[in-house]
Amino acid sequence: MRIFNKFRGTKGFISNWQRLLRFRYMIQEHAKERCRILAFWEKHGTGATEEAFNIKRRTLFLWQKKLKEGGGKLECLNTGNRAPRRRRKRLWDYQTIEEIKRIRGEHPNLGKDKIYPLLSLFCEKNNLSCPKTKTIGRLIADCGGLRVYPKRVSHFGKIKRANRQKVIRKPKNFKADHIDHLVALDTIERFVFGVRRYIITFEDIHSRFSFAWSTQSHASLAAKEFFNLCLKVFPCKIDFVLTDNGSEFKKHFAEELKRIHLTHYHTYPKTPKMNAHCERFNRTLQEEFVDYHANLLLNTEEFNRKLMDYLAFYNTERVHHAFQNKKSPVAFMLSSPYYPLTRSQKCKSGWPYT
């Protein structure tokens, strides 16, 4: 895609823009100061310059030489890298380093904080000095990083690095402006008598209309079936869908969204605040219903029947804090001008409902 500029065609714009970038990012303040000192030296002489700036004569000639060789560009006077050419090397027993390599090889990409207790046991057993957590990180860096990536075999038979699948992230300034603009889904996981059960939740971000369903499976097919149920219950047509990166929202669920032409936004990893409204509904659902009916999760059909009664109360009678504790989600939807059943209504004065 070609980007058009409003200054395109203006004479001298490109050269001025390049000069601006040079002075803004490439030329250091030290270089500007050295250039001023050279100008002062040329005007007032060596003695006055040494007395005013406490700089030796040979330093002035060195700066003058650099400026001449650089064609008069000020970035030639930038300070270079002052790191020593020969640095001290960390000297640790080879057994310790080999153990770090073994741990990283057996447990790919294990962090330095997780390696430390394992390494300390090895060093204590072999009467060796154990490096601290930060030193372990530096030793891993000295060994080249020891990072391992998942691999895949291409259709040519070559082994290549398997990158993570790219997904569409929720835009930073995205805001749900009306009903059905954005719906969010999430999953609650509960253990009941050693048995794992899942509750998939659904919420319209603008109206707070919510739905939930208990399942025994964490597969994407179950999430797809739940979303189809939500489409039947929710009275409006949905524009965007927001989920986390869980496996239940992959494969069958993603294929269903593509089939009905819905944009699927994903949150960033370990960032639940991007789906804060649904996370808050999860807490409300657990504190007001799930905690008191957890024993029914063994029989999901009975649990879902009880859950439907609570969701009917939540959506139609229970007032919501987002609406100043005056309206329920359904009452807010009916009072909204964007709700499809109210768009054709007219007020008493005869003007169309806007």
Side-chain angles (χ1 to χ4, degrees):
M1 183 178 68
R2 188 171 183 177
I3 300 175
F4 290 92
N5 194 310
K6 66 178 181 179
F7 295 106
R8 185 182 180 187
T10 305
K11 187 176 181 180
F13 169 74
I14 299 298
S15 58
N16 289 331
W17 180 254
Q18 291 175 349
R19 292 192 192 100
L20 176 64
L21 290 178
R22 284 180 56 231
F23 278 89
R24 178 64 179 85
Y25 299 106
M26 298 173 61
I27 301 177
Q28 301 176 355
E29 292 297 328
H30 295 288
K32 298 177 184 178
E33 181 65 21
R34 291 174 179 179
C35 184
R36 286 191 287 267
I37 294 173
L38 290 177
F40 183 90
W41 177 43
E42 184 178 356
K43 183 176 181 180
H44 300 283
T46 305
T49 306
E50 291 179 348
E51 184 178 354
F53 298 100
N54 194 21
I55 294 177
K56 295 182 179 179
R57 179 171 176 267
R58 62 183 180 184
T59 303
L60 296 173
F61 279 101
L62 176 63
W63 291 350
Q64 187 184 47
K65 180 182 177 182
K66 286 184 176 182
L67 190 62
K68 185 177 180 180
E69 291 177 351
K73 295 183 178 180
L74 295 185
E75 51 263 33
C76 299
L77 298 177
N78 289 342
T79 55
N81 186 10
R82 296 186 177 183
R85 295 180 180 178
R86 295 182 180 180
R87 304 183 185 183
R88 293 181 296 172
K89 295 183 179 180
R90 281 172 279 275
L91 300 177
W92 287 88
D93 192 277
Y94 76 96
Q95 299 181 31
T96 304
I97 298 177
E98 290 298 324
E99 180 64 15
I100 294 175
K101 292 181 179 180
R102 187 195 67 80
I103 295 174
R104 288 278 286 200
E106 186 176 348
H107 307 283
N109 306 330
L110 195 66
K112 56 185 179 181
D113 298 307
K114 309 295 188 299
I115 292 177
Y116 176 73
L118 302 176
L119 185 63
S120 61
L121 294 175
F122 173 82
C123 294
E124 184 179 354
K125 182 179 179 180
N126 294 275
N127 297 323
L128 298 174
S129 178
C130 181
K132 297 298 182 182
T133 304
K134 291 184 177 180
T135 308
I136 292 174
R138 296 189 181 103
L139 290 174
I140 291 173
D142 292 343
C143 295
L146 302 179
R147 180 163 289 275
V148 181
Y149 298 95
K151 298 178 180 179
R152 64 181 179 87
V153 180
S154 66
H155 60 283
F156 292 109
K158 295 182 179 179
I159 298 177
K160 294 185 176 181
R161 173 179 168 180
N163 296 320
R164 287 185 177 180
Q165 184 180 4
K166 293 183 179 180
V167 295
I168 304 175
R169 302 295 181 185
K170 179 186 174 185
K172 185 176 181 180
N173 298 322
F174 184 91
K175 185 177 180 181
D177 297 327
H178 54 81
I179 302 170
D180 70 29
H181 193 192
L182 175 69
V183 297
L185 289 91
D186 201 6
T187 306
I188 302 173
E189 182 179 340
R190 296 293 292 251
F191 284 90
V192 183
F193 304 115
V195 180
R196 188 176 297 180
R197 289 292 183 264
Y198 306 95
I199 303 172
I200 309 177
T201 57
F202 166 97
E203 182 176 23
D204 177 59
I205 301 301
H206 187 74
S207 66
R208 305 302 198 272
F209 182 89
S210 303
F211 192 60
W213 193 256
S214 174
T215 64
Q216 299 180 10
S217 173
H218 196 237
S220 60
L221 189 60
K224 170 191 171 183
E225 295 175 355
F226 169 73
F227 186 71
N228 288 330
L229 289 175
C230 294
L231 293 179
K232 296 178 181 179
V233 174
F234 194 61
C236 305
K237 186 178 179 182
I238 299 171
D239 294 336
F240 301 98
V241 178
L242 174 66
T243 67
D244 56 17
N245 301 277
S247 60
E248 68 272 24
F249 302 119
K250 303 292 184 180
K251 199 177 180 180
H252 297 292
F253 181 83
E255 290 175 357
E256 180 66 13
L257 294 187
K258 288 182 180 179
R259 188 186 67 82
I260 59 180
H261 306 289
L262 289 180
T263 303
H264 187 188
Y265 287 143
H266 295 76
T267 61
Y268 284 97
K270 302 178 182 180
T271 315
K273 59 186 178 181
M274 291 184 68
N275 196 5
H277 297 86
C278 197
E279 295 286 353
R280 187 61 183 88
F281 171 67
N282 292 349
R283 177 181 171 183
T284 302
L285 182 65
Q286 293 181 81
E287 291 181 347
E288 297 186 3
F289 180 80
V290 178
D291 291 345
Y292 303 99
H293 300 84
N295 58 324
L296 298 178
L297 280 170
L298 293 176
N299 187 351
T300 55
E301 293 183 1
E302 185 178 355
F303 179 85
N304 287 330
R305 282 195 294 268
K306 289 278 188 180
L307 180 59
M308 291 304 102
D309 296 335
Y310 170 77
L311 292 174
F313 163 75
Y314 180 90
N315 289 315
T316 59
E317 299 180 33
R318 183 185 182 277
V319 293
H320 204 287
H321 182 75
F323 313 129
Q324 291 76 43
N325 291 328
K326 296 180 180 179
K327 295 180 181 180
S328 65
V330 172
F332 175 78
M333 292 173 68
L334 294 175
S335 63
S336 174
Y338 294 99
Y339 187 63
L341 296 181
T342 61
R343 289 177 186 171
S344 60
Q345 293 181 357
K346 296 182 179 180
C347 61
K348 294 181 180 179
S349 61
W351 286 94
Y353 193 90
T354 57

